[in-house]
Every structure is written in C-alpha cells, then in structure tokens.
Amino acid sequence: HHVPWYGPLYKIHSEFERDYGDPVEAFVIVEKGLKELPRYGPLYLVAFRLLEKEDLSRKAYDLPKTMDMVSRADNISRELLWRVHFEAAQSQERAAVLLMAEKPKLSLKKALYATRRSYSKAIMLSPPNLVWKIWLASGRTEVSCGNTNGARDLFLRAYDCVTEKGRSTVLLECARLEEFCGDLALSRSILCKARNEHGKSDWKVWLSSVNLECRCGLRERAIVFAQDALDIHRGTGRLWAALIQLRHEDGEMSQMKVLKLALKSVPKSGEVWCEGARISLNPFCPTFDLQAASRHLVFAARFTPQYGDSFLEQLRLDMIGKWLVPLAEPLINNMYDAFLKSKQMGREEAYQFITECTKKAADAMKAQLKRKPNSIAKDVVDTSELELHCCSANPNYGHLWFQCRASPIDSAREVIAEAKDVMTSDIINYSYAYVAAMVRRAGVMMIILHPEIVDSNGAENIYSDDFDLDKNVNQQLRLAPTLDVILSEKEVSGSMFVTGLTESNKRWNAYSLAEKRR
C-alpha cells in the first residue's frame, strides 16, 4: 500500500504464495503488480510459470493462457523482450513432450514447431552478448527430437558468438551431444579440449569428465580425473563429493579418509556434508549411524541450502525414524535381555550372538513385509517443517533433486511430495536391511558398554578419563561382522544405497531419454 510502484515486492510476494501452495493468490498478486507496473518484466516471468502450470493441469497443451500472457508482455522494455520469447519457447517444449507422452504417434518435430518459432523471435530480439544462450537452448531442443545434425549446427553457432567466459559451457554441451550419439571418443576429445583451454578457470569441465567416465563404468579413470581436478580446484565441494562417492567400492574407511580431507579443505560445503550423511545412512556401511547422519544433514542444509539432495536425504532419515526405529526397538530390547542373562563370553562368541540376533531381525521384517507390507508405513510422516525449510531455501540442483523433479517449474513442495512417494516404496522394500543395521549397531554398543560380560581382549577401558566413545564404537563396528556377510544376499548390496533412491543408482544406459535429459 505504501510503495505500490516497487515491482520486486509484488514478485517476492507472488513467489512466496506460489511456493507455499497457493497459485491462485500468487496470480492475483501478479495481476495487481502488472496493473501498477505494466512494463515490469520480472512479473511476467512469474506469470508464465503460474499459467503454464494451470494450462498443463487442464491438458491444454497449446498453452492458451500462457501464450495470452506472452502477448501482453510485448510492451516491456526491449532488453527483456527476448527473455519473454525464450521462456515461451521452453514452456512450449515442455508441453510438446507431455503431448507426445499422451499421443506417441504424433511427430515430435511437428509438435516443436511453435517452440522453434519462439526461439527465432528470441534470437532476433536478443543482445549480441546473450544470443549464444538461445542457440544453445534451441540445440538441446533438437536433441530431444532426435535431430542431432541440427543440434550440432546450432551448437556451432553458439560457439561462434559466445563470450570467452561462456565458451566452456558450449563445449560441455557439445560433449554431451556426442556422448548421446554414442561417439565416446569424440566426446572425450571435446572434454580434453575444454580441460586444456578452460580447466584452470572452470571446475565444471573436470566434473563433466568425471561424470562421463562414471556413466561409462570406468571408475578408476573417473577417480584420476577427480584427483587431478582437486589439485587445481581444491575448494570446490562438488568435486570432493564426487570423489567420496567414487570411493564407495573401496570401502567405508576409504570414503571416510576422503571425507576428512574434504572437510578440511571445504568445511562449509553442503555437498560434502551430505555425502557424510549418506555414508552413515547406508545400512551396509559398518558404521551405520542415524544420529551422525542427522548431524551431517543439519550442516549440509545450513551451508548450502540450494543443494536439494540434503533435504531429500533428510526426508529419508525422517521416514526411517518414524517407521523403522519403532519396529527395531523391541527386537533390540529382546537382544539386550538375552545378552544380560548370558554368562561371560569371548568376543567371537559375542559377535556370533549379534549375527544371530541381526539375522532374526531381518527375517522378522521380511516376514512382516510379505504378510502385511502396508503395516510398516502405517503412520503419517509429518513433513511440514521440512517443506517450510525447503521452500525458504528454494533448492535448484542435485542428482536426487532432478530425479524427483518432474518439471523445471515444479515448486520445492511438489518435489518433496514426489520424493515422498518414491522413497516410501524404497524404504518399505528394504526395511529389513535398515532394521538389521540398527540391531547390529545396538549389539556392538552392548558389547562395549558391558565389559563384565564380554572379554575386553585388550579393548580400551570405558571408565578411563581419556576414553573416546564415538571413536571406540566406530572401531568396534568395523571389527564386527558386516551386514552383507550376515545377510548373505547377492541381489542387495551397499552400492544400492549410495543415495536415497535405489532407482537413482542404476546404470546410465537403463535411463530413458527423458530421464537422461532431466
């Protein structure tokens, strides 16, 4: 009321209402703002997202309301007019992809006609220093309909007019195109050129090389690239996070060694803290620890709130705490009662006792899963606080985040809702592994805290002043039989739990085209 001429207020307020689940009120605020400031461009961009969502919800794939708003935006300043048509092109492409999903017999090339027309308008109106971004985006669109030769031509145009700062971005897109076409040798050559020309200034060229080798299943080559990258860009958390994940096959100790080095170099990297949480959340990790995972995730969300994976891993932790911890508690109590009634035993006997209890717990959960699978997730997990934090942070990247985000216009609340559905299935299917990991950990703690029953065999005295419980627990957890040895299952392993979705850890070739683009 006091400053109706100030456009950013309308924009922030409308985005607030949109993110908190009230698109109708958000659009009312946008209209108020446009009435006061009909030439304020950023409000139109918010309106496009809101109207696109509404059109797609009604399956109006020609986007009538969105395109009407695009027509209304013709009176804004020329500096922003190119962006209007650029956003329109991307909206039309998303609508065309959804139309093809419903009517696969249609030609995608024809469905993308309106998209190409909007890109052409954007190119004509764009400032010379930004036109390369439109050539690049239009090239991606051609890839989606299988026109790889057309995409190459567009990427070449982008390379010809790009500024020196953006040249590496175009090269990375060219490398992805050749990888998509199956020419890995050419893709690697382009990445080699990018590393030689821009490797000292742009860490993303190194990360792309690491990711390419990972997708090809060449872990050792990926590790070499990650280490070479960190010699130059030691303060880049995403490179450290990639190296931590790559060390999974070398064992938990190797991962923890890299994690400690990473936290010394980039102590405020949310990606690194998130990887620490993932190690602790992996039920097949010897040092599985829900409390440690919780601590790591607090730091991850605080230091890098724009990294969406931290919030989704927090969702997994909340689900485990709500559903599986109550199921594990009676099994742990039964183990404790049997242990306290037993006579003094040697350490190997104690390990055998833990193995038997862990196996019984896994079998009990498998029986419940077979008999009443819905009983495992019968309680509702309250995610309102997580959604509040996530909406405030407005994350925009992360492997899991992209997996759970159906569209770039999805709000943080919608991404969490989708992740909730997918993770519920995951946690129920592998509930026996999580519960068994909890029982195993409780058994090792039991041995440490009751030296009068188990022969200490040279272990530290828990009553000494310099006794470090956390350090000692981790040492003993690594000495105890691991969960993969206890369960002896060939189909399930720790590599399936590297991230919060087992589906996201599958081979690259198993992904569909839409999943690869996402």
Side-chain angles (χ1 to χ4, degrees):
H1 295 292
H2 299 290
V3 281
W5 43 265
Y6 190 60
L9 279 178
Y10 295 103
K11 180 176 180 291
I12 292 168
H13 191 182
S14 60
E15 288 174 340
F16 174 85
E17 296 294 347
R18 179 198 65 192
D19 293 342
Y20 285 90
D22 194 350
V24 175
E25 181 61 24
F27 190 70
V28 168
I29 294 163
V30 167
E31 287 287 26
K32 284 182 181 178
L34 292 176
K35 189 176 179 181
E36 291 285 343
L37 303 157
R39 290 173 59 82
Y40 186 62
L43 267 182
Y44 284 102
L45 302 182
V46 176
F48 297 158
R49 296 290 175 100
L50 292 168
L51 292 173
E52 180 188 347
K53 203 81 174 174
E54 185 181 343
D55 284 335
L56 294 179
S57 68
R58 296 186 294 108
K59 297 189 176 181
Y61 297 118
D62 56 340
L63 304 177
K65 291 190 175 183
T66 309
M67 298 316 294
D68 283 347
M69 183 59 72
V70 170
S71 300
R72 281 178 58 185
D74 279 342
N75 64 340
I76 67 171
S77 62
R78 185 179 174 84
E79 289 78 16
L80 271 180
L81 196 54
W82 72 273
R83 181 74 185 275
V84 168
H85 295 290
F86 181 76
E87 291 289 334
Q90 297 200 315
S91 296
Q92 289 164 329
E93 181 185 356
R94 289 190 286 267
V97 170
L98 290 175
L99 178 62
M100 285 299 300
E102 279 202 3
K103 299 178 181 179
K105 291 184 179 180
L106 290 176
S107 168
L108 185 57
K109 286 187 178 181
K110 290 183 179 179
L112 289 171
Y113 174 76
T115 302
R116 294 189 181 100
R117 187 174 58 191
S118 293
Y119 275 134
S120 299
K121 290 179 181 178
I123 288 167
M124 288 188 290
L125 295 166
S126 172
N129 64 318
L130 295 175
V131 73
W132 68 272
K133 292 186 177 183
I134 307 170
W135 290 120
L136 205 61
S138 57
R140 293 192 194 108
T141 299
E142 296 306 317
V143 174
S144 69
C145 64
N147 183 14
T148 53
N149 289 329
R152 286 191 186 95
D153 291 340
L154 292 168
F155 288 162
L156 183 60
R157 289 196 178 198
Y159 191 78
D160 287 341
C161 61
V162 70
T163 59
E164 184 63 30
K165 188 177 179 181
R167 203 167 288 271
S168 61
T169 303
V170 180
L171 286 173
L172 295 185
E173 207 64 53
C174 293
R176 290 190 195 102
L177 171 62
E178 298 308 329
E179 182 191 358
F180 176 76
C181 294
D183 194 342
L184 293 175
L186 181 54
S187 180
R188 287 190 176 103
S189 297
I190 295 170
L191 287 174
C192 182
K193 173 183 172 70
R195 290 194 305 273
N196 289 335
E197 293 181 359
H198 309 285
K200 290 185 178 179
S201 59
D202 190 355
W203 56 268
K204 290 179 183 176
V205 300
W206 292 98
L207 185 61
S208 293
S209 299
V210 171
N211 290 337
L212 172 63
E213 302 306 334
C214 285
R215 291 192 288 267
C216 295
L218 301 175
R219 188 178 74 96
E220 294 301 326
R221 276 178 64 92
I223 289 173
V224 169
F225 278 127
Q227 290 173 332
D228 289 346
L230 287 167
D231 287 340
I232 303 169
H233 303 281
R234 202 157 186 83
T236 304
R238 288 177 73 175
L239 290 172
W240 281 110
L243 184 57
I244 293 167
Q245 275 201 16
L246 286 166
R247 287 295 185 188
H248 169 77
E249 290 183 26
D250 298 330
E252 176 262 347
M253 284 288 285
S254 179
Q255 281 190 295
M256 292 304 293
K257 184 178 178 181
V258 178
L259 177 63
K260 288 177 181 177
L261 286 172
L263 289 175
K264 284 182 180 178
S265 299
V266 279
K268 291 186 177 181
S269 167
E271 296 97 337
V272 171
W273 283 105
C274 186
E275 289 306 317
R278 283 171 168 160
I279 295 170
S280 298
L281 278 171
N282 190 330
F284 287 85
C285 173
T287 55
F288 173 80
D289 185 355
L290 298 179
Q291 290 182 337
S294 180
R295 291 194 298 270
H296 282 98
L297 289 173
V298 168
F299 287 121
R302 182 175 299 170
F303 290 139
T304 314
Q306 64 271 29
Y307 184 53
D309 283 18
S310 303
F311 295 99
L312 300 188
E313 293 293 355
Q314 182 65 54
L315 176 62
R316 173 166 59 140
L317 180 61
D318 291 345
M319 288 178 165
I320 292 170
K322 184 70 173 180
W323 294 335
L324 304 187
V325 170
L327 294 174
E329 284 174 349
L331 299 168
I332 292 170
N333 291 336
N334 292 340
M335 175 181 65
Y336 232 102
D337 292 341
F339 176 76
L340 293 175
K341 290 176 184 176
S342 63
K343 297 178 182 179
Q344 191 168 19
M345 62 178 78
R347 190 158 289 269
E348 289 304 318
E349 288 179 275
Y351 286 155
Q352 184 60 35
F353 176 79
I354 294 171
T355 299
E356 291 172 3
C357 291
T358 304
K359 189 77 170 69
K360 284 180 183 177
D363 291 341
M365 288 303 302
K366 285 179 183 178
Q368 184 175 349
L369 185 61
K370 203 170 185 179
R371 192 175 63 254
K372 294 181 179 179
N374 294 332
S375 65
I376 294 173
K378 60 183 179 180
D379 296 325
V380 176
V381 177
D382 182 11
T383 58
S384 57
E385 189 174 342
L386 179 64
E387 289 173 12
L388 181 66
H389 290 161
C390 195
C391 288
S392 300
N394 195 22
N396 53 29
Y397 74 99
H399 178 63
L400 279 190
W401 189 259
F402 292 142
Q403 282 287 109
C404 297
R405 191 185 70 175
S407 168
I409 63 173
D410 283 353
S411 67
R413 196 179 295 273
E414 289 170 319
V415 176
I416 286 185
E418 176 64 24
K420 206 172 179 179
D421 291 339
V422 181
M423 282 186 176
T424 296
S425 174
D426 248 21
I427 289 171
I428 290 173
N429 291 337
Y430 300 105
S431 55
Y432 68 91
Y434 285 110
V435 170
M438 291 180 218
V439 172
R440 175 185 173 274
R441 179 180 175 82
V444 173
M445 288 289 292
M446 186 174 64
I447 291 175
I448 296 169
L449 297 175
H450 292 278
E452 73 279 4
I453 297 178
V454 181
D455 181 17
S456 62
N457 196 23
E460 290 184 64
N461 182 2
I462 65 169
Y463 302 111
S464 64
D465 293 335
D466 58 347
F467 180 76
D468 187 338
L469 180 61
D470 290 338
K471 183 180 177 182
N472 192 266
V473 168
N474 285 338
Q475 287 175 349
Q476 296 303 318
L477 283 167
R478 292 181 183 117
L479 292 172
T482 57
L483 196 63
D484 52 352
V485 171
I486 294 172
L487 298 183
S488 302
E489 292 196 2
K490 293 181 180 179
E491 296 82 9
V492 182
S493 65
S495 61
M496 296 172 63
F497 301 90
V498 172
T499 65
L501 290 177
T502 55
E503 185 72 10
S504 73
N505 302 319
K506 64 185 179 183
R507 293 284 181 186
W508 175 249
N509 293 334
Y511 286 116
S512 67
L513 173 60
E515 288 174 323
K516 286 178 180 178
R517 292 192 72 219
R518 200 158 69 212

